[in-house]
Amino acid sequence: MNRHLVVCANRQFAFSNAVRQLSITSRQQNNETEEPQKQGWISKLLKGQNTDPSSWQKQSHSSLLSNSELMYEFMTHNYRPGEQDAYLDAFGKYKNEMNAKNPSIELVGSWTCSYGRTRDQAIHLWRHNKGYEDVDSSIALHGKDSGIRAADNDVARLCGRRKNLIVKSFSYWREPEQRPPNHVYDLRSYVLQPGTMIDWASAWAKGIQYRREANQDVGGFFAQVGQLYVVYHIWAYPSMSDRNDTRHATWAKPGWDATVANTVPLIKKMQSKILTPTRYSQLE
């Protein structure tokens, strides 16, 4: 076994031991005759994983970090400067084609970038409610369906660069839910050191509690296809002023500084984008 695999295995083994130590009191209070139920991340953290501990090193990171079959897709389009209105019209026709051909592929969020590394950019968040079955359906539709291909080509003509990423949601985050107007959205992305995703999730499973009081948490995801070991967090605020106030208030909470201290060393690169909802977004 090479050194990288040994480090990853040791880290997962240490993490499982820490979880079991945290769960001793909780498990003593539980009725051992209860019928087993599917566990979320918080349950795994507080009660321990309902598996033989020796199997932890044999589980994929995805199975440890998410218990949902839902898949999400980040679609990023850099449209040509001055063409935002034409681009959004073309994207609306593409969205309608997708809804007609496969209604279980659902557009959850749709934004343009107001501040960040790239302007003249749109970011769309799709939910594949049937998981990889919907991903396979999308691949087939884009390859063979004339209506989808035509609408997609119309969007492409207005763009300089496009990319699609497949992600899953962390179990300790909520699934994105429809929000009423008006919010600004903060999309934060973190490129992690390879082999540190379990450490990141362990810290954030506890740290997320400090960020829920103002209802700003929208969704947290980790990459499945595209650049790997990348995490995405989406936060919502009534305004940029509220964002500033909420973030300052979080730093005043005892314990939040530990989350930052435990996660910053895991990060190779990070960035933030401030997003404005388009007329197609359920997240307004």
Side-chain angles (χ1 to χ4, degrees):
M1 182 180 295
N2 64 39
R3 183 177 180 274
H4 175 71
L5 292 178
V6 170
V7 170
C8 290
N10 288 342
R11 184 174 284 126
Q12 285 191 341
F13 183 72
F15 174 68
S16 65
N17 283 339
V19 171
R20 290 199 300 275
Q21 289 298 319
L22 287 171
S23 67
I24 290 175
T25 302
S26 177
R27 283 185 294 182
Q28 288 175 342
Q29 295 173 349
N30 286 341
N31 184 345
E32 295 184 356
T33 63
E34 288 183 357
E35 185 176 343
Q37 297 181 358
K38 193 173 185 179
Q39 287 186 294
W41 180 269
I42 294 298
S43 176
K44 291 176 184 176
L45 182 68
L46 297 178
K47 298 181 181 180
Q49 178 85 348
N50 286 342
T51 61
D52 181 349
S54 64
S55 70
W56 273 68
Q57 296 179 44
K58 301 178 182 179
Q59 297 182 66
S60 70
H61 283 184
S62 294
S63 66
L64 292 172
L65 301 171
S66 178
N67 60 6
S68 173
E69 297 302 317
L70 297 174
M71 303 299 298
Y72 290 86
E73 175 183 352
F74 277 110
M75 177 182 287
T76 303
H77 293 166
N78 292 357
Y79 51 82
R80 292 202 301 266
E83 297 283 9
Q84 178 174 302
D85 291 342
Y87 164 79
L88 289 175
D89 288 342
F91 177 79
K93 295 176 183 177
Y94 170 82
K95 170 187 175 294
N96 291 338
E97 283 288 337
M98 287 297 295
N99 287 346
K101 302 298 169 56
N102 189 338
S104 65
I105 300 178
E106 175 188 9
L107 183 65
V108 178
S110 174
W111 306 273
T112 55
C113 184
S114 295
Y115 292 94
R117 181 179 177 182
T118 305
R119 287 294 307 272
D120 301 308
Q121 184 178 80
I123 298 175
H124 311 288
L125 178 65
W126 298 83
R127 179 158 51 217
H128 297 259
N129 288 293
K130 294 181 181 179
Y132 276 114
E133 180 181 336
D134 278 340
V135 176
D136 288 332
S137 172
S138 178
I139 293 172
L141 287 171
H142 284 81
K144 299 178 180 179
D145 187 274
S146 60
I148 294 291
R149 287 172 62 86
D152 186 53
N153 286 337
D154 287 342
V155 171
R157 291 187 187 98
L158 294 165
C159 296
R161 181 172 180 264
R162 303 191 297 167
K163 67 177 180 180
N164 295 47
L165 307 173
I166 299 296
V167 300
K168 288 182 72 71
S169 59
F170 287 108
S171 294
Y172 52 86
W173 278 76
R174 68 175 80 189
E175 301 290 347
E177 301 171 350
Q178 187 171 353
R179 286 181 180 244
N182 290 311
H183 292 86
V184 295
Y185 290 82
D186 186 355
L187 172 61
R188 303 178 75 85
S189 59
Y190 306 88
V191 180
L192 305 185
Q193 303 283 350
T196 62
M197 189 67 75
I198 294 294
D199 298 326
W200 175 276
S202 176
W204 266 100
K206 292 171 281 188
I208 189 66
Q209 64 182 306
Y210 303 109
R211 301 295 304 273
R212 284 186 165 145
E213 189 174 296
N215 192 35
Q216 74 262 40
D217 53 315
V218 175
F221 312 90
F222 59 99
Q224 294 286 284
V225 176
Q227 184 174 0
L228 302 180
Y229 284 100
V230 182
V231 170
Y232 302 91
H233 291 173
I234 305 177
W235 309 95
Y237 306 93
S239 67
M240 290 296 288
S241 295
D242 283 289
R243 174 183 179 272
N244 183 61
D245 294 342
T246 300
R247 290 175 60 81
H248 279 299
T250 300
W251 276 102
K253 297 177 181 178
W256 171 247
D257 56 341
T259 300
V260 175
N262 290 332
T263 54
V264 166
L266 311 179
I267 300 171
K268 291 176 62 177
K269 184 170 63 175
M270 59 187 290
Q271 67 171 301
S272 171
K273 296 179 180 180
I274 299 300
L275 308 178
T276 302
T278 73
R279 59 185 180 269
Y280 309 117
S281 187
Q282 295 187 43
L283 299 168
E284 299 183 67

